Each structure stands twice: as structure tokens, then as C-alpha cells.
């Protein structure tokens, strides 16, 4: 008879338990809704999670029940992740930037039993409450606001915890393939879809993303997850950080450049993670103040493309390594990450920076491939452009409600258009729906935006396709200028001329005060299209 290792199932609570046993005094620091900075440790957090798990069970929460959260990144949100998952319930993170109607739809579709919310979201919950068909328990996470919604009883989180013992628990072993987390996509194309995470997908994703050539997380790190815990589990950091015992610094509701910079310096943050719009705010603040990062060593950028200007600012002005990554709600989310090989480290600065605008190589566990329109698999040659497909143990198979996600052949079609080079570095050209189709050729809105943002007067840029009688579509560039800067169309086009192919030059340029951003920080191109795309442009000849 063959021997075999212990068939111990993967459990989420073991991540925090491990941190509490091996890094008990490592801190978890949070800017709170209350306005102060709160400090706790892994050991104390684990004890509070024991209290919370008991409190949830006392309220009737059982295996498979959905515990919804509407909360900022703080220690309380972390406790809710672990407390709910530890007893086999499902932590359903809700995005507070959605409208009341969207929230109601998502809660009802998910079948949430309990809703736990930060005081800042009390008005949102009060507005949503009448439409919530399955929520029976509302829990306010701090006493800084009272919620007045008729016929709704609101429980106090701290009181619930205070009533329970913090003694260790002999945790149950939920099915490692049953959902423990739920997050809906932003629904930019149709109804939002619920992506379920399991203990197995969560732990494998945490292990893979902590590796040296991915996020390189360790107990030496102090990490600032700016990326929200209310969307795709803050890129899995609430799991991978306890796994390695890193100190965590949660920004709470204060996401402006000044607050983030001050927190970074005060807590000696070594790594931060967030979307480009957040880093724009931080870099602008640092630039305006002439400030320096004294402890920050690396920053993870994902969710939208990190353009050349942003990579240069972090790398060359501040000596902060940029780790550009790619993923989706459907991929837990980390699927590709850009860390250099030794050969690339030896490249010239310009070549290196250009390489860093690529989204990186697949993590072990995720497989990527490119497909042409006719379905044949494309070469990994850095030039062939096709639809990006992925598969792996933390990639969606079916959505909440049984809606199919992956194709019958086992691959998930991301809806992104990309290239992959011979070294495996993938570059997102565009979302399929955003690419500008001009005269039968494709123009990458991402590449054009990145080129526009290298102009020192341009703060942010977005490119959309506008209907054109001869060329089908032509690019329209929408720009936000830095405060106090002036720039006209001709100057901007002159800047772009040496950077992009002639026929890529924008047909038109619009200057606006701000770009519309969606619930996850991405530019809302649909809103720009509504505003600028109709009626068709009068010009019949392109600028080239
Ligand atoms: P949604 O919920 O809107 O689908 P996700 O957070 O799941 O939002 O976003 C996934 C999409 O974001 C990807 O399909 C891709 O288009 C885009 N994306 C993510 N990371 C990057 C990146 N580094 N560069 C360019 N696009 C990115």
C-alpha cells in the first residue's frame, strides 16, 4: 500500500491563526471612520475573530449563509472576512460606490442574510433597506453614526463582540470547494455577475501571489493595501499578508494623496498596492510638496494600465519599484505580474520602463493564451494580437446562480485584447470593446493614453473611438490638465507625433476638468462615448 501525506483540507482561518501564532505582535494599523488611527496586532485580531465567529453563530449565521460587508479597508473588515469564512459562511463584499438600485439588485441576487456596514454608508443602507428581500440582520461597525431606517433594527458590532468569549475555537472544516467569498463584477456590460471564491482558490492564490517573483511578500514588509477590500478582496492581500506575517496598514476612508503619503511615512510602509487613479493623486501631492518617499520600496499597480509616465515617476523620480499586474474579479484577481528577469534588469532605463508598461507573466497556476478571431491559438511573439484567455484553479468556472463563466473547453475569455512575447510577458492592448477600429486596423486606446500622459501638462487621459464616415472609427483624446497648465490641441499632437504611428494620431482632442471614474477606479468610457461620440464628426479626412 502506498503512503500518502495528510489529506488536510485548506481553511481560510488557518492563515490568521498562523499569523497569530508566529507573528503575534505584528501590527495591523487602520485609519478609521472615527477619524483616529487604530492599532492592533495579529494576536488580538485573532481573538476578536473568535468573538465574532461566536457572535455570527449566535445570530443564526450558518454554513453557506452570505454575510455582506459595506466597509472601508480597516481591521474590522479584516475580522469580518475571517469570522464569516471560519464558520463556513460566505463573505460578500459590496462596493459602496454603486448606486442604491445596483446594491439592492446585487444583495437580492446574492441572497445576503446579514449586512455589516461602516458608519459612512449608513445613508446608503437606509436607502437600500426597503428593497432588500433577504437581509434579516443589519450590523453597524462603529457608533459614529446612527442609522434611521424604518422597521430596521441595527445591531452594534462592538457590543456583539463584547458579549462573546475570545477563547480559541476548534474550527470547523468547511468544504474547501464551497464558496467562502463573493464579489460582483462592476457590470459595465450588462447585469453584474457574482464571482465566488473558495478556500482552495483563496489559499492557492495567496501562496502564488506571495512568491518572490510576484509580490515578494515577507515578514519584513509593511504593506498599505489601498486597493479596496470591497472589490476582489483587495487583490488577496488580506490573505497573503497574514500568510507571511507582514505588518498591515489600512487607509480606511482617507484615500487622497496627502493622507496616503502621511500614512506611508508615519508607518514606514515598504509596499503599497492600488489602481492608477489613486497613484495619480499620491504622485501629484508628492510632486507639489517636493516630498520624498523614505520607506516605500515597491508599489503594485493594476486594475487599469500603468502608463509610461507613472512608471517613470515612481521608478526614476522616487526609486520605487513598479510591479505592474493584471487580473479581473474573475481571476481572484492576480493572474499576471511584471517582475524583471536578471537579463531585463540589465537593460537601458528606457527599455526597462517600456517593458514595465507590460502587465507581466502568468503566475504559476494560471495559464494564458491568445486566440485569433477565428479561434486559432496565436504565437507568443510579442506582436500577434488576440483575445486573452485564462484558466487555473483561481479562475471563475461558473458565476453565482450557475451562470456559466468559462467556455466548454475550460478556458475563460477575459474580453481583453493582448500580446504575449517570447519571454511570456503579456501586454494588454485594450478591452475588446474599447479598442478603436480605424480603417480595419486597431488602435490601442491604452497605448495612446499612455503616450498622452507623458506630456508634462497632462494629468490624465482617455481615448475613445468616435464614429467616422470613412474610417469607421477614429480616436478622440479626452485630457485633464495639471492645475495651472495650458496646452492646446496642436501642441499635444506635436508631442504625440514621434511617439505613435501617424494614423494613430487623435482625430480630435477635448480638454475636461475631470474624467468620470467607475466604482473600481476605471475611467467610464461609456460615459465619455455618450458625451462625445455622437453626432459623427464632420471631418472626412483623418489627420494623417
Ligand atoms: P470589472 O468588475 O469591471 O470587470 P475588474 O476589476 O474585474 O473589473 O477589472 C478587470 C479588467 O480590468 C480587465 O479585464 C482589464 O481590462 C482591466 N485591467 C486590469 N488590470 C489591468 C492592467 N494592469 N492594465 C490594463 N488593464 C487592466
Amino acid at each position: 500500500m502506498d503512503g500518502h501525506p495528510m489529506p488536510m483540507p485548506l481553511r481560510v482561518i488557518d492563515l490568521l491563526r498562523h499569523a497569530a501564532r508566529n507573528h503575534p505582535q505584528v501590527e495591523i494599523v487602520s485609519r478609521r471612520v472615527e477619524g483616529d488611527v487604530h492599532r492592533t496586532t495579529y494576536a488580538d485580531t485573532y481573538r476578536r475573530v473568535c468573538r465574532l465567529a461566536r457572535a455570527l453563530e449566535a445570530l443564526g449565521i450558518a454554513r453557506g449563509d452570505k454575510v455582506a460587508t459595506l466597509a472601508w479597508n480597516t481591521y474590522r473588515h479584516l475580522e469580518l472576512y475571517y469570522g464569516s469564512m471560519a464558520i463556513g459562511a460566505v463573505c460578500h463584499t459590496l462596493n459602496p460606490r454603486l448606486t442604491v438600485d445596483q446594491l439592492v439588485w446585487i444583495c437580492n441576487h446574492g441572497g445576503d442574510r446579514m449586512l455589516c456596514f461602516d458608519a459612512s454608508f449608513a445613508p446608503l443602507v437606509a436607502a437600500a433597506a426597503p428593497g432588500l428581500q433577504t437581509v434579516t440582520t443589519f450590523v453597524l461597525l462603529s457608533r459614529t453614526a446612527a442609522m434611521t431606517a424604518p422597521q430596521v433594527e441595527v445591531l452594534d458590532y462592538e457590543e456583539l463582540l463584547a458579549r462573546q468569549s475570545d477563547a480559541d475555537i476548534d474550527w470547523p472544516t468547511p468544504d474547501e470547494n464551497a464558496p467562502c467569498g463573493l464579489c460582483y463584477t462592476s457590470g459595465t456590460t450588462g447585469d453584474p455577475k457574482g464571482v465566488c471564491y473558495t478556500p482552495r482558490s483563496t489559499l492557492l492564490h495567496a501562496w502564488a501571489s506571495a512568491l518572490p517573483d510576484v509580490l515578494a511578500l515577507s515578514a519584513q514588509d509593511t504593506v498599505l493595501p489601498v486597493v479596496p477590500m470591497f472589490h476582489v478582496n483587495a487583490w488577496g492581500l488580506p490573505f497573503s499578508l497574514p500568510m507571511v506575517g507582514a505588518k498591515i496598514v489600512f487607509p480606511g476612508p482617507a484615500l487622497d494623496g496627502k493622507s496616503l503619503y502621511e500614512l506611508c511615512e508615519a508607518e514606514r510602509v515598504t509596499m503599497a498596492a492600488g489602481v492608477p487613479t489613486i497613484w495619480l493623486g499620491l504622485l501629484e501631492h508628492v510632486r507639489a510638496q517636493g516630498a520624498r518617499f523614505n520607506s516605500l520600496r515597491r508599489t503594485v499597480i493594476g486594475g487599469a494600465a500603468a502608463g509610461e509616465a507613472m512608471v517613470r515617476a515612481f521608478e526614476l523620480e522616487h526609486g520605487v519599484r513598479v510591479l505592474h499586474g493584471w487580473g479581473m474579479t474573475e481571476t481572484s484577481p492576480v493572474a499576471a505580474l511584471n517582475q524583471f528577469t536578471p537579463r531585463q534588469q540589465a537593460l537601458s532605463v528606457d527599455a526597462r520602463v517600456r517593458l514595465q508598461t507590460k502587465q507581466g507573466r502568468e503566475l504559476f497556476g494560471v495559464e494564458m493564451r491568445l486566440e485569433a478571431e477565428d479561434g486559432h491559438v496565436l504565437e507568443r511573439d510579442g506582436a500577434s494580437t488576440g483575445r486573452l484567455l485564462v484558466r487555473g484553479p483561481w479562475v471563475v468556472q461558473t458565476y453565482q446562480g450557475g451562470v456559466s463563466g468559462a467556455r466548454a473547453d475550460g478556458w475563460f475569455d477575459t474580453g481583453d485584447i493582448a500580446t504575449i512575447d517570447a519571454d511570456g510577458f503579456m501586454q494588454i492592448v485594450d478591452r475588446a470593446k474599447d479598442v478603436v477600429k480605424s480603417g480595419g486596423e486597431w488602435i490601442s486606446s491604452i497605448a495612446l493614453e499612455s503616450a498622452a500622459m507623458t506630456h508634462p501638462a497632462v494629468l490624465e487621459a482617455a481615448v475613445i473611438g468616435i464614429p467616422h464616415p470613412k474610417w469607421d472609427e477614429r480616436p478622440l483624446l479626452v485630457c485633464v490638465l495639471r492645475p495651472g497648465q495650458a496646452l492646446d490641441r496642436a501642441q499635444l499632437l506635436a508631442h504625440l507625433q514621434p511617439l505613435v504611428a501617424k494614423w494613430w494620431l487623435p482625430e480630435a482632442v477635448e480638454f475636461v476638468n475631470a474624467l468620470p471614474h467607475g466604482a473600481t477606479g476605471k475611467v467610464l468610457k461609456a460615459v465619455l462615448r455618450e458625451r462625445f461620440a455622437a453626432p459623427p464628426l464632420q471631418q472626412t479626412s483623418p489627420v494623417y
Side-chain angles (χ1 to χ4, degrees):
M1 202 174 143
D2 291 337
H4 49 78
M6 297 178 189
M8 285 180 69
L10 302 174
R11 298 190 307 189
V12 174
I13 187 63
D14 290 327
L15 293 165
L16 187 65
R17 190 165 164 268
H18 171 82
R21 288 160 61 87
N22 296 285
H23 310 276
Q25 298 313 319
V26 171
E27 281 187 308
I28 298 172
V29 180
S30 311
R31 259 224 176 97
R32 297 200 290 187
V33 179
E34 288 92 317
D36 57 354
V37 173
H38 173 273
R39 314 188 85 85
T40 182
T41 61
Y42 277 121
D44 284 343
T45 300
Y46 181 72
R47 280 192 279 274
R48 276 171 59 90
V49 166
C50 292
R51 288 179 189 272
L52 174 60
R54 289 189 172 96
L56 291 174
E57 281 182 331
L59 289 165
I61 297 295
R63 244 175 225 214
D65 283 344
K66 314 272 173 6
V67 176
T69 61
L70 253 180
W72 298 109
N73 290 13
T74 70
Y75 65 103
R76 291 191 182 112
H77 208 168
L78 188 75
E79 291 162 3
L80 283 163
Y81 270 41
Y82 280 97
S84 56
M85 295 185 194
I87 59 167
V90 180
C91 182
H92 179 191
T93 53
L94 297 169
N95 190 330
R97 300 204 178 105
L98 297 174
T99 64
V100 173
D101 286 349
Q102 287 169 320
L103 267 182
V104 167
W105 189 93
I106 288 175
C107 282
N108 289 340
H109 190 264
D112 298 338
R113 286 259 338 253
M114 178 186 272
L115 174 53
C116 307
F117 58 99
D118 265 328
S120 353
F121 307 124
L124 189 55
V125 175
L132 300 177
Q133 291 158 3
T134 54
V135 177
T136 51
T137 311
F138 292 83
V139 178
L140 182 59
L141 296 176
S142 66
R143 295 191 192 99
T144 47
M147 192 185 87
T148 43
Q151 281 127 31
V152 172
E153 190 200 353
V154 180
L155 306 178
D156 182 295
Y157 182 75
E158 292 299 335
E159 271 172 26
L160 290 175
L161 263 61
R163 270 188 232 141
Q164 302 295 334
S165 147
D166 69 357
D168 202 359
I169 293 177
D170 184 14
W171 297 103
T173 300
D175 177 356
E176 68 171 31
N177 288 307
C180 64
L182 175 62
C183 177
Y184 278 71
T185 62
S186 334
T188 42
T189 50
D191 280 338
K193 288 175 280 213
V195 181
C196 293
Y197 310 110
T198 62
R200 182 167 186 269
S201 73
T202 302
L203 267 85
L204 292 178
H205 175 264
W207 257 307
S209 51
L211 284 170
D213 283 321
V214 186
L215 302 182
L217 301 175
S218 92
Q220 312 298 323
D221 273 317
T222 296
V223 179
L224 174 72
V226 184
V227 52
M229 292 172 75
F230 57 68
H231 191 64
V232 212
N233 297 332
W235 298 349
L237 292 167
F239 307 111
S240 51
L241 298 178
M243 178 180 264
V244 301
K247 172 178 166 184
I248 311 180
V249 181
F250 285 127
L255 304 178
D256 60 289
K258 179 172 184 286
S259 306
L260 290 177
Y261 176 73
E262 286 171 1
L263 196 59
C264 239
E265 290 300 305
E267 298 300 329
R268 302 211 48 80
V269 167
T270 59
M271 188 189 102
V275 296
T277 42
I278 286 289
W279 298 146
L280 271 182
L282 177 64
L283 286 170
E284 279 306 289
H285 171 78
V286 170
R287 213 169 262 151
Q289 302 297 312
R292 309 285 317 156
F293 291 109
N294 292 302
S295 57
L296 192 65
R297 294 285 161 265
R298 59 201 199 282
T299 177
V300 190
I301 310 180
E308 192 179 323
M310 183 167 288
V311 176
R312 279 185 184 279
F314 273 120
E315 288 270 341
L316 308 182
E317 288 170 34
H318 296 288
V320 173
R321 170 55 32 97
V322 167
L323 303 179
H324 193 185
W326 173 88
M328 313 177 68
T329 312
E330 284 90 339
T331 64
S332 291
V334 187
L337 198 106
N338 194 334
Q339 280 266 18
F340 294 140
T341 61
R343 187 158 57 83
Q344 282 141 358
Q345 226 144 4
L347 293 174
S348 72
V349 168
D350 282 346
R352 224 165 31 109
V353 165
R354 265 197 306 280
L355 192 66
Q356 282 180 289
T357 62
K358 296 194 176 197
Q359 282 74 6
R361 288 177 295 179
E362 57 198 17
L363 273 62
F364 174 75
V366 174
E367 209 181 320
M368 304 191 294
R369 78 154 47 150
L370 295 180
E371 242 182 47
E373 289 289 299
D374 64 4
H376 82 269
V377 179
L378 292 166
E379 288 296 313
R380 295 183 152 217
D381 58 9
S384 304
T385 301
R387 287 184 88 88
L388 178 66
L389 308 181
V390 291
R391 64 180 180 191
W394 56 87
V395 176
V396 70
Q397 167 123 335
T398 42
Y399 293 101
Q400 173 73 9
V403 181
S404 70
R407 300 189 315 201
D409 66 0
W411 288 91
F412 174 74
D413 183 343
T414 65
D416 282 346
I417 307 290
T419 60
I420 303 178
D421 68 21
D423 291 318
F425 283 79
M426 181 273 288
Q427 181 154 33
I428 299 285
V429 172
D430 233 322
R431 280 196 148 184
K433 60 185 166 58
D434 291 337
V435 74
V436 182
K437 296 166 194 88
S438 177
E441 299 283 345
W442 284 354
I443 298 174
S444 157
S445 66
I446 291 181
L448 211 44
E449 288 156 5
S450 175
M453 285 190 276
T454 60
H455 193 290
V458 176
L459 177 65
E460 208 180 358
V463 168
I464 53 166
I466 42 172
H468 190 282
K470 182 169 175 193
W471 304 99
D472 226 3
E473 273 187 351
R474 293 289 302 148
L476 164 75
L477 173 61
V478 188
C479 280
V480 180
L481 295 183
R482 291 216 150 82
Q485 299 282 339
L487 187 69
D488 62 24
R489 174 180 183 272
Q491 289 167 320
L492 188 50
L493 291 182
H495 175 79
L496 289 174
Q497 208 126 33
L499 302 178
V500 298
K502 235 175 165 186
W503 61 279
W504 279 38
L505 284 175
E507 187 78 17
V509 180
E510 296 279 351
F511 294 97
V512 296
N513 291 331
L515 290 174
H517 289 101
T520 55
K522 295 187 215 307
V523 173
L524 292 172
K525 295 204 172 173
V527 174
L528 292 178
R529 276 186 208 107
E530 238 165 64
R531 180 162 165 205
F532 294 111
L537 280 195
Q538 293 311 302
Q539 285 160 280
T540 49
S541 59
V543 288
Y544 53 93

